[in-house]
Structures are given as structure tokens and as C-alpha cells.
């Protein structure tokens, strides 16, 4: 009995494949998909390469500065170089600030090419110095805002937006076309159940779409980017494939359910487009609004005002340092390293201290922003249950390492590093200790600590599992309905 | 004759579930978007004008201080939200609105709202403009795809033609019915909101906003009209309702969703945007170059802040140094912004196949939320910063330079602070926007005429085949 | 073989079938006659489980149609008024597909050709796309499908309408041949002449009721016509 229905299923599958190839629907749709996947991947790869290059450039920059500082320090110590307070690396205040040449960078995740996510908007490096956080943490990557508004044509877009449309193209008339054409009567007079028929039809279409959407990008990425060949990355790719399969299955299940209602092809197409518009366009946009209303970000205007107040207060606090006599222009000798000491000009000390004080004062407010953003993200996680598109989009970005979570982690680590940087210099500046060649090579180093893989994979797999459950629920309903539906053939 | 047909079609559409459901949903979304946008705008504008006033007040009352330190504290200025930003926030979420005018730093507009939002922001912003650009065309397609093909399939077309109804009346009647269905949804809300908005504005700004609204109405009218006629044309040309629906939906998806993204990718290849690192490097290189030239010319110094320059010349040196930088800043930022504008203009050609691209630029422009108007604000803020800087340097030359090593003990007082005027920014007028965007409007008009011609051709062919 | 037991079918307020009982034995050709809307197609649809009866039951070979739809469909073949096939496939491919669906195994090409020939389709048309076929040719592929299935019961809904007289004759011959092999045939028709000629039993329906059942050998052509018209008028 079971083998009988299996052989029927495989017969239907072969038959469908032949029909779809003969009437050129399948080749056409597959070509469109292949083109779009290819282009989306190209865009993703281009962006990832751009960012890779940027990180490499930053590293080079950092090394060059380091080398230049070491050179200058040597000539300063040998008394060969004329002295300007801001460009004397023996002066800890100068090295902490203008000469720092330190960067915090976040490397691309290996699969970054699969989704651009937030990476076009969030900076992937910060320039570290003693400047206050408000001065450097809000630098952003340069991008035409119009392009940010349009969004990128990346693989995630193809999957989240276009793939369901192609599913709709292939699936809006699964049964209705057969009914309108009259072949459904012929089929139903054979020992064949409608659920088997539906399953067979969906399997062919789904295999065809997935055979392009999944292997194509993975193979390209594996070939072009050697860093994707680790076990961890392969696992991520597996979850990526599972996610896409689940999402495709969901849309086919929706198509099956719509077809099981027994309406006309046009009505089916309308319903499918209405559902697509709701899930992919309207719900995310509305939820964005809801998130902003329920959990609004604190006011940036307030931050600006607070910064001003804090700056004014710290200027006042260090007033005496700011206005101390400045004799280094007329007496450069004063800047020489004497023993282990160097005179840090009081104005420079004032800069350092004032910036530090500003940060201390606005820290709570900045924390409020971070907390708020985290809260918003949690809200999104919960609301994303309402729309498969959001669910999948978030998971795709997680896999590619371009989700907001990773950038928030980057910001946090940068802040910590910035504090460390200051703490390193603070005693040296206060005690007027000169920087030595040895110090220069043991300055605080930036290390990006990747978010734990377990955290990412958890956030990906629960979404995938949910997507699958949803797909099976809808699909089950569709099959149940189609087997009960008695008017399907008439 | 055409009125009879329009009336009959409208009755049919009114009895059909499609218009009721889809239209109802759009109407609700429209109201929500307007309410949320209005709320946000009022709050932001109040906050910003209060913030800016406080800031200036603090500037005036900062007490006695070395002018250079005062410039260090600087001044915050905020971009006012244009009144029609409620209708179309444009690039707003992706550009900041706050500038901290500080010494020696080109004022950059910071705090992009999108950075304070989640990844959802990238799906788009629920704004009335988005609804009119994306969903209303879909509505027109959904209610109109079978307006001709349906008549043919039911056989009523045979009936109509046998009665001697001319094709022209048929076209006009059907177009009028579709357009009035869309109009009934949008017009009351639109007119109501426009009246509300204009009434709340100070009298001086009213006229400008009224002009902007009328131009917007024209642009959107052409755009939606284009969809009405296109829908009719396809419905008449194609054999079955199903085919008409599939073709129209395909066009809608390609034109409103895929084309804008593809266009922005393509122009990025054509006019590449520099990375920040490259841009910053280039800028500092240019500034350093210009500065050393200026230092050599004015003080005979080999490098910037050369130790050979006595402290008594630092006021003058600041002035020379700053002035040398202005050129490099103008050139670099100007170049970057020109690139952005060139990118956008290039994209507008895509409007030929995807009218939404043309409309989007036009809509933002007239709402005052496009890049050119953002650039105008940035330029104004930078001018203010230079004003502060110049006043400060001048004062230093006069007072601090004679003090020798005690240069930094000099303290300026309230008179100097008061000599810096408050930052007053006037939003550009409608003519500024039109000068930038008349091309898009012309493009929309051409497309509209083409769609009318296509519909006319489709209906004047023998209809019964 | 084909049994309808006190079947009633209600469409909302409309009663399409009213307590109809009928039984077709192996080797019989049962012709259902009746005006438009009398309920003939509804009865055929019920046997196919395309519709479910409001009350009563239907059986094919003593198996209940509603409870075991797949088993009963294995026993029967169905040829609708319009045999609709996949236009992009050839007649042979269509036959191959439907026959493997029906019997669960793929028949070899020579056997398929044999079946098409038995159904009367010209050999050279077998590999043409069905989109190019005439109505009669499609009907013949339908017959071939039924033949391939080796069905115990045959359901036909106005099979000869729209066929030219010689094609209709050929068709009738095939029916007779099938019934001689022990197949139970239920066919609806408006063609009294053919019904009398090929049918072994005749049933006349009116407003959902089976108002008359008779053996065709018991009446002459003229009697049948008179009887039919009498029922229609009253
Ligand atoms: N799906 C349905 N829903 C509602 N009423 C139906 C349905 N199918 C058939 N009917 C009604 O049932 C009655 C019987 O229809 P049926 O198609 O069985 O007639 P018929 O004898 O085959 O007529 P014809 O000779 O025209 O083919 C008709 O009045 C028809 O209107
Ligand atoms: Mg009938």
C-alpha cells in the first residue's frame, strides 16, 4: 500500500517535471532565479571584499603609524628632531591622541557575502584616541543615503523578497490550472489522492528552485573565499540551507493551502500576492513603526545638549590647566626627555582629562541608548514571529555575521578598548612619564572577540525550526483540506 | 456615454470584495502613517528648536574663557524637519540631523535615526509616500486587471460593442472608474491632512507648502494615472484575465521592488563611493598640503606648527591654517556630495522603465527631504562653523598674541560670544526643489502620455478576437 | 457492479438527486436518459466520489465509494464528455502517464501503441502533441486509457456528443465489445437512437428521480421516443 502510493508520487513527480519543462515555465523561472542569485552574490562578494580591503588598509595604516612613531621617538631621544608638543611620541598625551593611529576593527565573518545586512551602515572600524566617545563612536561609513534607502540587491533580498514571488509564480495555480483545463477530472478518476498530487507537484517545483538557490552560492563562496572551508562554517552553511528550505517550503505550503480552497487561478494569484504583500512588505514596515513607538530610542537632541553641558563643565573644571602658561614654543628644550620624565604641557593634560570627564558624565546616557537598542532588538525577536520574512531576514544576517547584534558587540568591545587605552595613558600623563621604545611596542592591542558560536547558532536554529514548524503546519492544513475538499474536481 | 460606463464599473468595483479589503487596509495604514509621522515631527521639531536655543544661550553665557576653548566647546545646530517630512521622510532616517560645530573639524551631520533602529528599518519606513508609491499601484492593478479581459471573458464586451460604444468612451469610462476608486481612498485623507498641515504653519511658510503640495499632487497623479492606463492597456491586449494579472504583477514587482535596488547597485559601479578611510586620508593629505603651503607663504615655516613660529603669532597662524583648510574641505566634501548627486541623477534614468524611481526623487525633493536639501543644510552649518572660527581667530590676534607665553591666559568675555550670531536656517524654497527635480516630473509626464497612448492603441484594435 | 442505493444529493435548497437506486451488472450497458439538469452528471460524479451523497450510498464491486475512494477508482474507468489531456505531451505520453497512474506500473511502448490502435487512433498521430488533436482523437486516447486499466466498470458522461456519426458508431462498437468482456457500463446520453441500439438497459431521469427503467429489447425506437416525451411533458 505504502509502496504503491510512493510509486504514484514518483510518477507524478516525473510527469510534472516533464510538463513544466515542456511548457518552459520551469526553465524560465529557474533562469530568472539563477540570474538573481548570481547577481545578489556578486553584490555581496563585492561588498565583503570592499570591507576586507578596508580592514587590511586600516591595519597597514596602524603599522605605518607605529613605525613612524618608533622612528620619531628614536630621533627625539637622540636629540636629532625638532620638537612640537603634539607630534612628540615621547609625550604620552600626544601618543594617546593625535599620534595614536590605533584602530578597533571588526573583520568580516567568513560568510559575509551571503547577506549585507547592517554592514553598509555600521562602521567596521573606529579610530581610537583619547577623544570622547561622542566624538568618534558616531562616525559612520560613507554611503549615499539614497542607496541606503533603496537597500542592496544582495542574496538575502533575493531570498526574502524574490524567492516567495517565484514560488508564487510556480505555485499559484497548482490545482486550479488543472481544474480550469479539465485534467483534474481525469486525474481524480484514477486511484490518486489529491494530497499525493499536491505533494508531487510541490516536490518538483521546490527541488528545482532549491537546486539553484542553495548550491550555487555555497559553491561560489567555497571556491572564492578559502576562510569558509572550516567545520564551523560548514555547519553555518548547513543551517543556511535548512533555513532557505524551510522558507521555500512555507511559501509552497501557503500556495497549496490557497489552491485547496478551490478558487480560480486569478483568485489564487490575488490571494498569494496579498499574503506576500502582507508578510514581506506591510508587516515588517508596520512592525518597524510599532517598535519605534513601543520602545523609542532616547532623544539624540538630549544627548547633544548633555554633551554640551558636560564639555562646558569639564572646561571649567580644568580651567587652570587650560590657561596655564605655554612656553614650549619659545623654549623647545622644555620638551626634552629628562631621565624617565617628560613635561606634559598642561593644555594637553587638560584635553585628556576633560575628554575623560565628558565621557564619565554622559556614560549613563550612552548606556541608555545601548540598553534601548537591545530592548528594541528583543522586541523585534518577539514580533518576528508574526512574519516569516523578518524571521528569515534576521537569521540570514546572523549567519552572514552582518546583524545588528554583532555590530553592537563590536561597539561594546570598542568602548572597553577605548577605556583601556585611556587607562594605560592616564597614569603616564598624570605622572609625566616619558614613553620609551619599549612602551611603544607594548601599547594596548585591539583584539576582536567573536560572539560565541553557540549564541549565533542558537539564534539561527530556533528560527529555522520555527520556520519549519510553520511550514509543516500550513502544509498539513493544506493537505488535510485538499483531501477533505469534495468539490475540488467539479 | 463614458460616464455611464464609469458609473457601472464603479458600482461593480464597490460590490467586489477586493476594493473593500485592499482599500480599507491601505486607508488604515495611511492614517496610521500620518498620525505617527506627525507625532514624531512635532516632537522632534520642538525638541530641536528648544535644544538649539538652549545651546546658543549656553554659548552666550559661557563666562570668561580663552576663545580657542570656546570654539572647542562649540555649538550644536539641528536640522529642522521640513513640514512635508511627515508625508515623505525621504533619506531622513539615513542622514543625521545634529551638527556639533567645533574648531578644526568639518561639521558632519551625525546621529542617523537608522543607527538607533533595528534591522527592521531596512524593510522600509511606513510613510504615506511609501504607501502611494508601492501599495496603491498594486491596488489599482488588483482591482483593474480584469476590467477589459473580464468583460471579454463574460461576453459582455460583445454586448457593449454591438451597442456601438466607441472605444474612446470605453477607455475613458474605465479609467475614470479606476481612478476614482483610488481617488476616493486617497483624496479625502490627503486634502484633510494638507489643510490641517497648512493651518498649523506660520503664515509666512504657508504659500511655499501649498505650492509643494500641489506639485506633489501633480507628480503622484501622473504616477498613479500611469498605472491606471497601463492596467487597462494590458487588460485589453492580453488574451485572459489570468495572463493580464500575471503580467501586471510581474511589472509591479520588477518596477517597484527590484529596479530601485538594481539601479543603486549599478550607479555605484558607475560612480563609486569612496570608503571613509580613503576619503579621510585624501582629505587630511589635501589639508596638510594646503596648510604647509600657506605656512611657508605666510611665516616661512617648513611645517605646520613649526617650533620656529613664536607663540605670539598663534592667533594669526590659526587663521591661516583654518583658511588653508577651507579649500581642501570644500573640494573633498563637494566632490563626495557631487558623487552622491551624480549617482542619483544617473538612477533617475531608470525611471524610464521603473517610474517609481523617478517619482521617489521628485517626491523627496518636494517634501524637502532629499539629498540636495540636506546638503544645503550641511553647507549652512559649515558656514556657521567657519564664522565662529574666524571670529575667534581674529580675537586671538587682537588679544592673545601680544601676551607671549601667557597666550592661553587670555580670556574673552560675553561681548565676543555675542558677536557670533545665532544659527538661523531657512529651509530652501519650492523653486530650489523644482530646479533639482523638474526632470523627474517631465519623465513622469512622458511616461503617463505613453501609457495613455498604449491604452488607446490597445482599445482601438479590434477588441473581439 | 455499479450500485446506487437510495441516493439523495442536495445542493443547498436544490435537490439534484432524490432517492435514486440503480444497479448495473457486469456485461450490461446502462443508458441514462433525461432532460438537461435532470441529475445524470451528478450521479456519475457521485460514483467518482467527486461529490459525496447527502444520504444513501454508492458501491462499486460491493466496495463503498466514499469510504474507499482509491480502491473503487482502481475498478473503474471514466470518459468525460470532453477528454482533457496535457496539451504539451503526445497522445502516447498521456496514455503512458494515466495508465501508470491507474495500474501502478509502466507499460512498454508496443503495448501502448497497441492500446491506441485498439481505441482507433491512427498510428502516426500517437507521437503528436495532444494540443493538435481533434475532439474525437482525444476521446480515443480516453478510451485507450480505459482499456489499459482493464476496468471492471466504465462510467461515461455523454461520450458521443460532438462526435461525427461514424466516430460515434465506432465508439458504440467498442462499448459493446467491452460489455461482452464482462464490464459494467453506465453511460449518460441524449441520443435515444444510440441508447436503444447499444444499451441493454435504459433509465429515464426527471428532476432528480429515476422515473422509468426498462430493457432495451422490450421497446422499439418509436415506443422509446414516445415514452421519453411523455415523461418530459408530464
Ligand atoms: N456543484 C453544484 N452546485 C449546485 N448545484 C448543482 C451543482 N452541480 C449540479 N447542480 C444542479 O443539479 C442539477 C443536476 O445537474 P446535472 O449536471 O447532474 O444535470 P444533467 O442531467 O447532467 O444535465 P445535462 O444534460 O445538461 O448535462 C442541476 O439543476 C444543477 O443546476
Ligand atoms: Mg450532464
Amino acid at each position: 500500500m505504502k509502496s504503491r502510493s510512493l510509486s504514484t508520487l514518483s510518477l507524478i513527480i516525473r510527469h510534472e517535471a516533464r510538463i513544466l519543462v515542456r511548457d518552459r515555465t520551469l526553465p524560465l523561472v529557474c533562469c530568472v532565479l539563477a540570474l538573481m542569485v548570481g547577481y545578489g552574490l556578486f553584490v555581496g562578494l563585492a561588498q565583503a571584499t570592499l570591507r576586507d580591503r578596508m580592514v587590511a588598509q586600516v591595519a597597514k595604516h596602524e603599522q605605518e603609524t607605529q613605525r613612524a612613531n618608533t622612528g620619531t621617538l628614536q630621533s627625539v631621544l637622540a636629540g636629532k628632531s625638532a620638537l612640537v608638543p603634539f607630534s612628540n611620541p615621547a609625550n604620552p598625551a600626544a601618543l594617546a591622541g593625535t599620534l595614536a593611529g590605533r584602530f578597533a576593527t571588526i573583520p568580516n565573518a567568513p560568510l559575509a557575502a551571503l547577506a549585507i545586512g547592517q554592514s553598509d551602515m555600521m562602521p567596521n572600524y573606529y579610530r581610537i584616541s583619547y577623544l570622547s566617545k561622542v566624538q568618534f563612536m558616531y562616525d559612520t561609513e560613507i554611503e549615499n543615503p539614497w542607496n541606503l534607502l533603496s537597500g542592496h540587491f544582495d542574496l538575502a533580498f533575493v531570498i526574502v523578497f524574490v524567492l516567495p514571488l517565484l514560488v508564487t509564480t510556480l505555485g499559484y495555480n497548482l490545482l486550479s490550472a488543472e481544474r480550469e483545463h479539465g485534467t483534474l477530472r481525469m486525474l481524480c478518476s484514477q486511484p490518486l489522492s489529491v494530497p499525493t498530487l499536491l505533494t508531487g507537484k510541490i516536490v518538483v517545483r521546490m527541488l528545482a528552485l532549491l537546486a539553484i538557490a542553495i548550491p550555487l552560492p555555497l559553491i561560489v563562496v567555497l571556491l572564492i573565499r578559502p576562510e569558509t572551508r572550516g567545520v564551523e562554517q560548514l555547519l553555518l552553511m548547513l543551517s543556511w540551507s535548512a533555513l532557505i528550505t524551510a522558507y521555500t517550503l512555507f511559501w509552497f505550503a501557503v500556495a497549496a493551502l490557497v489552491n485547496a480552497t478551490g478558487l480560480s487561478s486569478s483568485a489564487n494569484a490575488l490571494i498569494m500576492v496579498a499574503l506576500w504583500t502582507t508578510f514581506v512588505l506591510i508587516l515588517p514596515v508596520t512592525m518597524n513603526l510599532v517598535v519605534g513607538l513601543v520602545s523609542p530610542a532616547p532623544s539624540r537632541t538630549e544627548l547633544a545638549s548633555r554633551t554640551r553641558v558636560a564639555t562646558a563643565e569639564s572646561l571649567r573644571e580644568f580651567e587652570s590647566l587650560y590657561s596655564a602658561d605655554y612656553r614650549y614654543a619659545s623654549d623647545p628644550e622644555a620638551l626634552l626627555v629628562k631621565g624617565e620624565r617628560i613635561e606634559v604641557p598642561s593644555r594637553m593634560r587638560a584635553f585628556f582629562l576633560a575628554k575623560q570627564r565628558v565621557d564619565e558624565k554622559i556614560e549613563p546616557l550612552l548606556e541608555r541608548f545601548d540598553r534601548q537598542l537591545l530592548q528594541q532588538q528583543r522586541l523585534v525577536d518577539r514580533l518576528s514571529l508574526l512574519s516569516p520574512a523578518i524571521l528569515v531576514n534576521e537569521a540570514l544576517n546572523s549567519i552572514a555575521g552582518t546583524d545588528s547584534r554583532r555590530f553592537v558587540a563590536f561597539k561594546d568591545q570598542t568602548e572597553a578598548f577605548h577605556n583601556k587605552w585611556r587607562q594605560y595613558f592616564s597614569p603616564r600623563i598624570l605622572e609625566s612619564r616619558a614613553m620609551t621604545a619599549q612602551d611603544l611596542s607594548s601599547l594596548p592591542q585591539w583584539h576582536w572577540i567573536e560572539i560565541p558560536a553557540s549564541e549565533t547558532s542558537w539564534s539561527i536554529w530556533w528560527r529555522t525550526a520555527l520556520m519549519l514548524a510553520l511550514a509543516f503546519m500550513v502544509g498539513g492544513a493544506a493537505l488535510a483540506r485538499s483531501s477533505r475538499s469534495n468539490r475540488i474536481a467539479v | 456615454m463614458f460616464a455611464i460606463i464609469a458609473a457601472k464599473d464603479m458600482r461593480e468595483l464597490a460590490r467586489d470584495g477586493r476594493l473593500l479589503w485592499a482599500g480599507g487596509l491601505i486607508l488604515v495604514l495611511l492614517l496610521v502613517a500620518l498620525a505617527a509621522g506627525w507625532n514624531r515631527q512635532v516632537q522632534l521639531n520642538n525638541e530641536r528648536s528648544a535644544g538649539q536655543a538652549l545651546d546658543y544661550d549656553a554659548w552666550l553665557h559661557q563666562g570668561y574663557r580663552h576663545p580657542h576653548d570656546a570654539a572647542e566647546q562649540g555649538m550644536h545646530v539641528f536640522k529642522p524637519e521640513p513640514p512635508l517630512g511627515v508625508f515623505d521622510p525621504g533619506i531622513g532616517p539615513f542622514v543625521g540631523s545634529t551638527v556639533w560645530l567645533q574648531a578644526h573639524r568639518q561639521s558632519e551631520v551625525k546621529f542617523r535615526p537608522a543607527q538607533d533602529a533595528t534591522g527592521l528599518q531596512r524593510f522600509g519606513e511606513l510613510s504615506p509616500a511609501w504607501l502611494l508609491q508601492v501599495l496603491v499601484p498594486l491596488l489599482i492593478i488588483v482591482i483593474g486587471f480584469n476590467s477589459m479581459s473580464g468583460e471579454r471573458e463574460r461576453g459582455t464586451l460583445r454586448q457593449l460593442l454591438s451597442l456601438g460604444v466607441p472605444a474612446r468612451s470605453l477607455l475613458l469610462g474605465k479609467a475614470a472608474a479606476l481612478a476614482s476608486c483610488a481617488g476616493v481612498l486617497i483624496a479625502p485623507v490627503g486634502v484633510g491632512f494638507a489643510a490641517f498641515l497648512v493651518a498649523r504653519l506660520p503664515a509666512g511658510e504657508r504659500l511655499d507648502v501649498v505650492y509643494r503640495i500641489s506639485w506633489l499632487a501633480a507628480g503622484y497623479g501622473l504616477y498613479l494615472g500611469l498605472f491606471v492606463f497601463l492596467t487597462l492597456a494590458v487588460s485589453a491586449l492580453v488574451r485572459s484575465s489570468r495572463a493580464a494579472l500575471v503580467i501586471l504583477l510581474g511589472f509591479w514587482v520588477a518596477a517597484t521592488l527590484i529596479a530601485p535596488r538594481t539601479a543603486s547597485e549599478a550607479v555605484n559601479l558607475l560612480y563609486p563611493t569612496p570608503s571613509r578611510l580613503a576619503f579621510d586620508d585624501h582629505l587630511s593629505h589635501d589639508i596638510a598640503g594646503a596648510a604647509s603651503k600657506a605656512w611657508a607663504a605666510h611665516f616661512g615655516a617648513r611645517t605646520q606648527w613649526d617650533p620656529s613660529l613664536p607663540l605670539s603669532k598663534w592667533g594669526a597662524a590659526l587663521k591661516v591654517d583654518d583658511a588653508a583648510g577651507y579649500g581642501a574641505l570644500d573640494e573633498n566634501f563637494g566632490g563626495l556630495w557631487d558623487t552622491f548627486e551624480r549617482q542619483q541623477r544617473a538612477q533617475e534614468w531608470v525611471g524610464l522603465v521603473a517610474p517609481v524611481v523617478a517619482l521617489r526623487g521628485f517626491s523627496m525633493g518636494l517634501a524637502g527631504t532629499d539629498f540636495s536639501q540636506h546638503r544645503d543644510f550641511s553647507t549652512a552649518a559649515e558656514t556657521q562653523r567657519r564664522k565662529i572660527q574666524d571670529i575667534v581667530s581674529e580675537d586671538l590676534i587682537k588679544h592673545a598674541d601680544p601676551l607671549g607665553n601667557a597666550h592661553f591666559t587670555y580670556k574673552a568675555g560675553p561681548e565676543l560670544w555675542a558677536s557670533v550670531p545665532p544659527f538661523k536656517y531657512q529651509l530652501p524654497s519650492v523653486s530650489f526643489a523644482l530646479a533639482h527635480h523638474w526632470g523627474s516630473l517631465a519623465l513622469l509626464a512622458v511616461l503617463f502620455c505613453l501609457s495613455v497612448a498604449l491604452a488607446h492603441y490597445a482599445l482601438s484594435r479590434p477588441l473581439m478576437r | 457492479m455499479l450500485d446506487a442505493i437510495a441516493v439523495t444529493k442536495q445542493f443547498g435548497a436544490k435537490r439534484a438527486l432524490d432517492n435514486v437506486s440503480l444497479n448495473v451488472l457486469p456485461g450490461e450497458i446502462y443508458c441514462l436518459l433525461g432532460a438537461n439538469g435532470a441529475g445524470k452528471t451528478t450521479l456519475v460524479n457521485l460514483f467518482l466520489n467527486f461529490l459525496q451523497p447527502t444520504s444513501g450510498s454508492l458501491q462499486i464491486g460491493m466496495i463503498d465509494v466514499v469510504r474507499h475512494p482509491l480502491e473503487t477508482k482502481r475498478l473503474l474507468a471514466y470518459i468525460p464528455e470532453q477528454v482533457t489531456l496535457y496539451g504539451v505531451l503526445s497522445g502516447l505520453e498521456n496514455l503512458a502517464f494515466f495508465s501508470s497512474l491507474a495500474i501502478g506500473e509502466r507499460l512498454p511502448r508496443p503495448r501502448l501503441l497497441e492500446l491506441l490502435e485498439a481505441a482507433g487512433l491512427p498510428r502516426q498521430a500517437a507521437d503528436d502533441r495532444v494540443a493538435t488533436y481533434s475532439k474525437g482523437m482525444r476521446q480515443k486516447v480516453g478510451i485507450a486509457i480505459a482499456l489499459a486499466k482493464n476496468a471492471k466498470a466504465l462510467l461515461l458522461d455523454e461520450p458521443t456528443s460532438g462526435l461525427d456519426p461514424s466516430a460515434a458508431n465506432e465508439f458504440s462498437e467498442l462499448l459493446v465489445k467491452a460489455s461482452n468482456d464482462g464490464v459494467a457500463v453506465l453511460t449518460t446520453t441524449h441520443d435515444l437512437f444510440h441508447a436503444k441500439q447499444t444499451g441493454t438497459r435504459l433509465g429515464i431521469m426527471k428532476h432528480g428521480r429515476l422515473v422509468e427503467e426498462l430493457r432495451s429489447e422490450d421497446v422499439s425506437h418509436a415506443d422509446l421516443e414516445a415514452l421519453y416525451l411523455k415523461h418530459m411533458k408530464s
Side-chain angles (χ1 to χ4, degrees), chain A residues 13-30:
Chain A
I13 291 174
R14 270 177 286 134
H15 168 72
E16 268 308 310
R18 185 179 315 158
I19 297 267
L20 286 171
V21 170
R22 286 272 174 90
D23 71 5
R24 301 215 191 83
T25 336
L26 206 54
L28 195 73
V29 170
C30 287

Short mmCIF file of all heavy atoms in Angstrom, two decimals, chain A residues 13-30:
data_model
loop_
_atom_site.label_atom_id
_atom_site.label_comp_id
_atom_site.label_asym_id
_atom_site.label_seq_id
_atom_site.Cartn_x
_atom_site.Cartn_y
_atom_site.Cartn_z
N ILE A 13 5.75 13.10 -9.87
CA ILE A 13 6.90 14.00 -9.91
C ILE A 13 7.52 14.00 -11.30
O ILE A 13 7.77 15.06 -11.88
CB ILE A 13 7.95 13.56 -8.86
CG1 ILE A 13 7.40 13.84 -7.46
CG2 ILE A 13 9.26 14.29 -9.06
CD1 ILE A 13 8.27 13.33 -6.36
N ARG A 14 7.71 12.84 -11.86
CA ARG A 14 8.32 12.78 -13.19
C ARG A 14 7.44 13.45 -14.23
O ARG A 14 7.91 14.21 -15.06
CB ARG A 14 8.60 11.31 -13.57
CG ARG A 14 9.99 10.86 -13.12
CD ARG A 14 10.22 9.41 -13.42
NE ARG A 14 9.47 8.56 -12.51
CZ ARG A 14 8.75 7.52 -12.88
NH1 ARG A 14 8.67 7.18 -14.15
NH2 ARG A 14 8.12 6.78 -11.99
N HIS A 15 6.15 13.17 -14.11
CA HIS A 15 5.20 13.73 -15.06
C HIS A 15 5.21 15.27 -14.99
O HIS A 15 5.29 15.96 -16.01
CB HIS A 15 3.82 13.18 -14.73
CG HIS A 15 2.70 13.87 -15.43
ND1 HIS A 15 2.47 13.71 -16.77
CD2 HIS A 15 1.77 14.74 -14.98
CE1 HIS A 15 1.43 14.44 -17.11
NE2 HIS A 15 0.99 15.07 -16.04
N GLU A 16 5.15 15.79 -13.75
CA GLU A 16 5.14 17.25 -13.56
C GLU A 16 6.40 17.87 -14.15
O GLU A 16 6.36 18.89 -14.81
CB GLU A 16 5.11 17.57 -12.06
CG GLU A 16 3.75 17.76 -11.47
CD GLU A 16 2.89 18.75 -12.21
OE1 GLU A 16 3.35 19.87 -12.48
OE2 GLU A 16 1.74 18.40 -12.53
N ALA A 17 7.52 17.22 -13.86
CA ALA A 17 8.79 17.76 -14.34
C ALA A 17 8.74 17.86 -15.86
O ALA A 17 9.11 18.87 -16.44
CB ALA A 17 9.94 16.87 -13.90
N ARG A 18 8.22 16.81 -16.48
CA ARG A 18 8.18 16.83 -17.93
C ARG A 18 7.28 17.97 -18.45
O ARG A 18 7.66 18.72 -19.34
CB ARG A 18 7.69 15.48 -18.46
CG ARG A 18 7.76 15.45 -19.95
CD ARG A 18 7.32 14.17 -20.58
NE ARG A 18 7.83 12.95 -19.96
CZ ARG A 18 7.21 11.77 -20.11
NH1 ARG A 18 6.11 11.69 -20.82
NH2 ARG A 18 7.70 10.70 -19.55
N ILE A 19 6.10 18.08 -17.84
CA ILE A 19 5.17 19.13 -18.27
C ILE A 19 5.80 20.52 -18.11
O ILE A 19 5.76 21.35 -19.01
CB ILE A 19 3.88 19.09 -17.40
CG1 ILE A 19 3.18 17.77 -17.61
CG2 ILE A 19 2.99 20.27 -17.69
CD1 ILE A 19 2.15 17.77 -18.66
N LEU A 20 6.42 20.73 -16.93
CA LEU A 20 6.97 22.06 -16.65
C LEU A 20 8.13 22.40 -17.57
O LEU A 20 8.34 23.55 -17.92
CB LEU A 20 7.42 22.15 -15.18
CG LEU A 20 6.27 22.27 -14.18
CD1 LEU A 20 6.79 22.14 -12.77
CD2 LEU A 20 5.53 23.58 -14.36
N VAL A 21 8.88 21.38 -17.93
CA VAL A 21 9.98 21.64 -18.85
C VAL A 21 9.43 21.90 -20.24
O VAL A 21 9.85 22.83 -20.93
CB VAL A 21 10.96 20.45 -18.87
CG1 VAL A 21 11.97 20.62 -19.99
CG2 VAL A 21 11.67 20.35 -17.54
N ARG A 22 8.41 21.10 -20.63
CA ARG A 22 7.86 21.26 -21.98
C ARG A 22 7.23 22.64 -22.16
O ARG A 22 7.40 23.27 -23.19
CB ARG A 22 6.78 20.21 -22.23
CG ARG A 22 7.28 18.83 -22.45
CD ARG A 22 7.61 18.57 -23.92
NE ARG A 22 8.23 17.26 -24.05
CZ ARG A 22 7.54 16.14 -24.25
NH1 ARG A 22 6.23 16.19 -24.40
NH2 ARG A 22 8.16 15.00 -24.34
N ASP A 23 6.49 23.10 -21.15
CA ASP A 23 5.84 24.39 -21.39
C ASP A 23 6.73 25.56 -20.97
O ASP A 23 6.30 26.71 -20.92
CB ASP A 23 4.43 24.47 -20.76
CG ASP A 23 4.48 24.54 -19.25
OD1 ASP A 23 5.59 24.63 -18.70
OD2 ASP A 23 3.41 24.52 -18.62
N ARG A 24 7.99 25.26 -20.68
CA ARG A 24 9.06 26.25 -20.48
C ARG A 24 8.90 27.11 -19.24
O ARG A 24 9.65 28.04 -19.04
CB ARG A 24 9.15 27.20 -21.69
CG ARG A 24 9.43 26.47 -22.96
CD ARG A 24 10.31 27.27 -23.91
NE ARG A 24 10.33 26.63 -25.21
CZ ARG A 24 9.39 26.82 -26.13
NH1 ARG A 24 8.40 27.65 -25.90
NH2 ARG A 24 9.45 26.19 -27.28
N THR A 25 7.92 26.80 -18.38
CA THR A 25 7.81 27.60 -17.15
C THR A 25 9.03 27.39 -16.28
O THR A 25 9.64 28.34 -15.81
CB THR A 25 6.60 27.15 -16.31
OG1 THR A 25 5.67 26.54 -17.16
CG2 THR A 25 5.99 28.30 -15.58
N LEU A 26 9.35 26.12 -16.07
CA LEU A 26 10.41 25.82 -15.11
C LEU A 26 11.76 26.37 -15.58
O LEU A 26 12.44 27.05 -14.81
CB LEU A 26 10.48 24.31 -14.88
CG LEU A 26 11.05 23.90 -13.54
CD1 LEU A 26 10.32 24.57 -12.41
CD2 LEU A 26 10.97 22.39 -13.39
N PRO A 27 12.15 26.13 -16.84
CA PRO A 27 13.43 26.69 -17.27
C PRO A 27 13.47 28.21 -17.10
O PRO A 27 14.46 28.77 -16.64
CB PRO A 27 13.52 26.31 -18.74
CG PRO A 27 12.61 25.16 -18.90
CD PRO A 27 11.54 25.29 -17.88
N LEU A 28 12.36 28.85 -17.42
CA LEU A 28 12.32 30.31 -17.35
C LEU A 28 12.51 30.78 -15.91
O LEU A 28 13.37 31.61 -15.61
CB LEU A 28 10.98 30.79 -17.89
CG LEU A 28 10.94 32.27 -18.20
CD1 LEU A 28 11.73 32.54 -19.46
CD2 LEU A 28 9.51 32.74 -18.36
N VAL A 29 11.69 30.22 -15.03
CA VAL A 29 11.77 30.63 -13.62
C VAL A 29 13.16 30.33 -13.05
O VAL A 29 13.73 31.13 -12.33
CB VAL A 29 10.67 29.93 -12.80
CG1 VAL A 29 10.89 30.14 -11.32
CG2 VAL A 29 9.31 30.46 -13.21
N CYS A 30 13.68 29.16 -13.42
CA CYS A 30 15.00 28.81 -12.89
C CYS A 30 16.07 29.76 -13.40
O CYS A 30 16.98 30.14 -12.66
CB CYS A 30 15.35 27.38 -13.27
SG CYS A 30 14.40 26.21 -12.31
#
